[in-house]
């Protein structure tokens, strides 16, 4: 590592030949190899052993979602450095909000209800809350585009004729410092902060528990890490492990899991159906990155900057920023090209995991069935989706009497679940074209499933009483209209009468043909005009 640092400090010539390590992978490891605590533990007793804690009286639980005006929004990405576009230094354009599912979560202003606030409507009382959250910011998945870009650069740098100039000159000594799959420090911080914020907004509901809460996540490392960091923020760092029960559901092929439903939906993993969004997004990439290719290719010799590699470079901007705090790749693309990248991700999500894919509603079905079971306090008795009959049949692993539910999942699953819930306002301007960005489009992936995304169902009593009467949903703090559910009428606060929501959701559940959409032999309709995540009848 010392040699790398010294080389980075050297001045560049006008055309820089790459160092032999350019594009190679750099890995740091902590704790130091061989480090151990066992020999010195006796010198560092914990707080309970030391004592002398001083006064420790607690206070009342907060309930900011009921009382706080104005509402506290998520607006910044501290401690990350905010990147600039190639043509927007110090402008108001926020690059980080154009990374699609790779964007850090931010508070959405509106999904079509401009006068609605996340604060509980006046005259209503809060009875329960259901949180579905995405894991925090992570490294790229194994074998993804960014790591391939690095290996291609490294291979080219070892050959004669490779050189870089201008804005790409940094590639001469650039190394790949990203791991794979697991949370970054920023990812841990964001879900911890979300846990703190959730305590401030909904902490008062803890007073209604008669037993410890059960929160759920899946077995993948970033999922467990997200769940634990959230719990540490929501409860207390020294006691959270005994303040609740953390259920970890196996995420693996052929294991039923509503938080990872693609594992039991074969069509969701097929190239021509499940990954159809990649095909559609690729058509758009050829258009929006054409100018970037023309501009950047002369700055690199001995290496062909294909359109797919330029997409990888845009992804590297996002991944390096959330992992390292800053990325030189961000400065390479204009504001228009970042808007193009955002739409590229929108196309991927719409046609692979959203309203335009025939498996999306089927994948989200299991969680919707669980939601109805929790709302009605009636156990699930029909097993026709990704629900896990062993876990969901037990009142220990699937309790039905909690005032707070917290489930951790993935971006694609949140996209599928809001499709299964028939949030039609998100699909209002679809299907998405592949040759241009439609004006005022309703489907924006950074607003639906960014890192640390949150879908919250508030169960309310209006007027305030002990009995729940209404429900509404917040997606990243934006109130979502429920008019896609039969029986839910237009309401300026996004409220739906609870019995009507339950009845309408039962109807929606009955419309989703899980067996066909996940297992039948079919092809995507051409043109794909699906807008509700189901294969056309």
């Amino acid at each position: 590592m010392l040699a790398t640092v010294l080389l980075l400090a050297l001045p560049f010539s006008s055309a820089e030949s790459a160092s032999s390590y350019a594009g190679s992978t750099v890995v740091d490891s902590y704790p130091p190899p061989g480090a151990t605590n066992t020999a010195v533990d006796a010198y560092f007793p914990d707080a309970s052993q030391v004592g002398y804690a001083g006064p420790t009286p607690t206070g009342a639980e907060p309930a900011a979602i009921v009382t706080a005006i104005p509402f506290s929004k998520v607006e910044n990405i501290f401690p990350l450095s905010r990147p600039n576009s190639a043509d927007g230094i110090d402008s108001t354009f926020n690059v980080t909000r154009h990374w699609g599912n790779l964007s850090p979560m931010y508070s959405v202003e509106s999904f079509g209800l401009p006068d609605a606030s996340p604060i509980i409507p006046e005259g209503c009382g809060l009875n329960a809350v259901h949180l579905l959250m995405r894991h925090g910011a992570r490294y790229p998945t194994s074998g993804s585009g960014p790591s391939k870009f690095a290996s291609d650069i490294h291979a080219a740098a070892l050959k004669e004729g490779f050189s870089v100039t201008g804005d790409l000159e940094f590639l001469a000594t650039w190394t790949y410092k990203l791991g794979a799959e697991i949370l970054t420090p920023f990812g841990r911080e964001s879900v911890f902060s979300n846990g703190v914020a959730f305590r401030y907004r909904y902490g008062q509901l803890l007073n209604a528990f008669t037993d410890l809460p059960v929160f759920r996540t899946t077995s993948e490392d970033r999922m467990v890490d997200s769940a634990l960091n959230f719990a540490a923020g929501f409860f207390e760092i020294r006691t959270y492990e005994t303040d609740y029960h953390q259920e970890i559901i196996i995420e693996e092929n052929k294991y039923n899991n509503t938080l990872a439903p693609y594992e039991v939906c074969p069509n969701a993993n097929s190239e021509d159906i499940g990954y159809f969004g990649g095909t559609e997004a690729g058509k758009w990439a050829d258009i929006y990155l054409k100018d970037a290719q023309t501009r950047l290719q002369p700055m690199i010799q001995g290496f062909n900057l294909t359109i797919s590699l330029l997409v990888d470079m845009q992804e590297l901007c996002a991944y390096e920023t959330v992992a390292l705090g800053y990325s030189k790749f961000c400065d390479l693309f204009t504001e228009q090209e970042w808007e193009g990248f955002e739409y590229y991700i929108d196309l991927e999500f719409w046609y692979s995991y959203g309203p335009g894919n025939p498996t999306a509603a089927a994948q989200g079905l299991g969680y919707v069935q669980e939601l109805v079971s929790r709302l009605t306090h009636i156990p699930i008795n029909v097993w026709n989706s990704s629900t896990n009959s062993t876990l969901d049949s037990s009142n220990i692993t699937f309790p039905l009497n909690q005032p707070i539910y917290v489930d951790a999942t993935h971006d694609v699953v949140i996209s599928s679940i809001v499709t299964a819930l028939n949030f039609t306002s998100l699909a209002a301007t679809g299907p998405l074209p592949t040759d241009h960005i439609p004006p005022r489009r309703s489907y924006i992936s950074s607003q639906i499933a960014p890192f640390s995304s949150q879908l919250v169902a508030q169960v309310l009593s209006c007027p305030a009483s002990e009995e729940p009467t209404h429900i509404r949903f917040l997606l990243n703090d934006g109130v979502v209209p429920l008019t896609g559910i039969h029986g839910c009428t237009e309401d300026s606060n996004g409220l739906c009468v609870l019995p009507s929501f339950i009845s309408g959701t039962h109807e929606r559940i009955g419309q989703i043909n899980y067996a066909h959409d996940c297992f039948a032999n079919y092809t995507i309709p051409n043109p794909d005009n699906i807008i509700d995540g189901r294969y056309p009848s």
Side-chain angles (χ1 to χ4, degrees):
M1 285 298 297
L2 180 59
T4 302
V5 173
L6 291 174
L7 284 166
L8 284 170
L10 292 175
F12 296 128
S13 62
S14 58
E16 185 71 21
S17 298
S19 301
S20 60
Y21 59 79
S24 62
T25 299
V26 175
V27 177
D28 294 327
S29 180
Y30 189 87
T36 178
N37 293 324
T38 55
V40 296
D41 275 350
Y43 291 90
F44 303 100
D46 62 30
S48 65
Q49 294 170 299
V50 173
Y52 301 96
T56 58
T58 189
E61 285 293 343
I65 203 70
V66 178
T67 59
I69 297 176
F71 180 76
S72 179
K73 298 178 181 179
V74 179
E75 297 180 309
N76 62 55
I77 55 169
F78 175 83
L80 307 181
S81 297
R82 178 171 161 175
N84 295 310
S85 62
D87 59 345
I89 296 177
D90 295 327
S91 79
T92 57
F93 184 84
N94 190 339
V95 174
T96 69
R97 294 193 179 183
H98 295 272
W99 292 340
N101 65 317
L102 305 182
S103 292
M105 179 263 177
Y106 60 91
S107 292
V108 177
E109 291 297 328
S110 172
F111 287 105
L113 296 173
D115 296 326
S117 166
I119 301 296
I120 304 301
E122 186 175 354
C124 295
L126 179 66
N127 294 78
V129 64
H130 302 249
L131 169 63
L132 181 72
M133 70 178 211
R134 186 192 175 193
H135 59 74
R138 57 165 172 79
Y139 292 119
T141 52
S142 302
S144 62
S147 63
K148 184 180 182 300
F149 173 84
S151 62
D152 288 349
I153 286 289
H154 185 53
L158 295 175
K159 300 176 182 178
E160 288 188 15
F162 180 85
S163 64
V164 282
T165 58
D167 292 341
L168 296 184
E169 199 170 56
F170 74 94
L171 289 175
T173 53
W174 172 77
T175 55
Y176 186 72
K177 300 177 180 66
L178 304 178
E181 312 276 354
I182 65 173
L183 294 187
T184 68
F186 174 71
R188 296 195 299 270
E189 184 269 343
S190 61
V191 286
F192 179 89
S193 295
N194 281 355
V196 174
F198 206 71
R199 183 65 172 261
Y200 273 96
R201 294 176 181 180
Y202 300 102
Q204 196 175 68
L205 289 173
L206 288 172
N207 294 326
F209 276 91
T210 58
D211 203 347
L212 293 180
V214 175
F215 296 170
R216 304 188 306 171
T217 189
T218 83
S219 59
E220 285 197 341
D221 185 272
R222 64 182 178 273
M223 299 300 303
V224 175
D225 207 7
S226 294
L228 296 181
N229 275 279
F230 177 89
F234 182 75
F235 294 107
E236 201 274 324
I237 192 67
R238 285 192 290 159
T239 64
Y240 78 94
E241 292 178 303
T242 56
D243 285 342
Y244 81 119
H245 300 297
Q246 183 63 65
E247 182 176 351
I248 302 173
I249 308 172
I250 295 173
E251 180 173 346
E252 187 56 62
N253 186 33
K254 299 182 179 180
Y255 281 85
N256 276 31
N257 183 344
T258 58
L259 305 179
Y262 39 75
E263 299 291 1
V264 289
C265 182
N267 283 341
N269 301 297
S270 65
E271 194 69 33
D272 57 339
I273 298 176
Y275 302 135
F276 183 60
T279 300
E280 299 301 272
K283 298 174 184 177
W284 169 240
D286 289 338
I287 297 172
Y288 87 89
L289 284 173
K290 185 177 180 180
D291 289 346
Q293 187 180 41
T294 301
R295 182 176 70 252
L296 296 174
Q297 182 62 72
M299 301 179 191
I300 184 167
Q301 304 300 314
F303 189 82
N304 183 24
L305 275 181
T306 64
I307 293 295
S308 63
L309 287 172
L310 289 169
V311 172
D312 295 340
M313 293 166 73
Q314 289 189 291
E315 290 185 355
L316 273 163
C317 160
Y319 280 121
E320 284 194 337
T321 300
V322 299
L324 307 174
Y326 172 78
S327 175
K328 290 281 288 185
F329 288 96
C330 300
D331 303 340
L332 300 177
F333 301 94
T334 65
E335 292 180 7
Q336 185 176 8
E337 287 156 1
W338 281 119
E339 290 173 343
F341 178 72
E342 176 183 46
Y343 190 62
Y344 173 91
I345 303 295
D346 294 345
L347 286 166
E348 275 197 325
F349 267 68
W350 174 276
Y351 288 108
S352 282
Y353 323 111
N357 189 276
T359 71
Q363 290 187 71
L365 174 61
Y367 178 84
V368 175
Q369 290 173 317
E370 291 177 334
L371 175 64
V372 171
S373 178
R374 288 166 166 174
L375 291 172
T376 59
H377 310 294
I378 298 173
I380 298 171
N381 54 25
V382 176
W383 310 101
N384 61 352
S385 66
S386 59
T387 50
N388 187 306
S389 59
T390 301
L391 297 175
D392 285 5
S393 293
S394 168
N395 61 5
I396 296 175
T397 50
F398 192 70
L400 299 176
N401 60 345
Q402 295 189 170
I404 298 174
Y405 295 92
V406 177
D407 294 322
T409 187
H410 299 272
D411 50 358
V412 299
V413 184
I414 291 178
S415 178
S416 296
I417 287 171
V418 298
T419 302
L421 284 166
N422 211 27
F423 288 173
T424 52
S425 64
L426 302 181
T429 59
L432 301 185
T434 59
D435 60 350
H436 69 280
I437 302 176
R440 297 178 299 278
R441 69 188 185 280
S442 58
Y443 193 87
I444 301 175
S445 52
S446 67
Q447 297 182 357
I448 298 169
F451 285 132
S452 304
S453 179
Q454 298 186 73
L455 175 66
V456 173
Q458 296 174 338
V459 183
L460 309 171
S461 52
C462 305
S465 68
E466 292 184 1
E467 293 301 318
T469 61
H470 289 75
I471 190 171
R472 68 175 189 158
F473 286 80
L474 279 59
L475 182 56
N476 298 317
D477 294 338
V479 182
V480 184
L482 294 179
T483 48
I485 298 296
H486 184 236
C488 292
T489 58
E490 290 186 15
D491 183 89
S492 61
N493 288 310
L495 293 168
C496 180
V497 176
L498 186 57
S500 297
F501 174 81
I502 292 170
S503 174
T505 304
H506 273 303
E507 182 179 322
R508 172 65 169 167
I509 287 171
Q511 294 169 349
I512 300 172
N513 190 337
Y514 180 85
H516 176 274
D517 292 355
C518 277
F519 293 91
N521 183 14
Y522 60 83
T523 58
I524 293 280
N526 185 18
D528 180 359
N529 291 321
I530 300 171
I531 58 171
D532 70 345
R534 299 184 299 140
Y535 191 81
S537 300

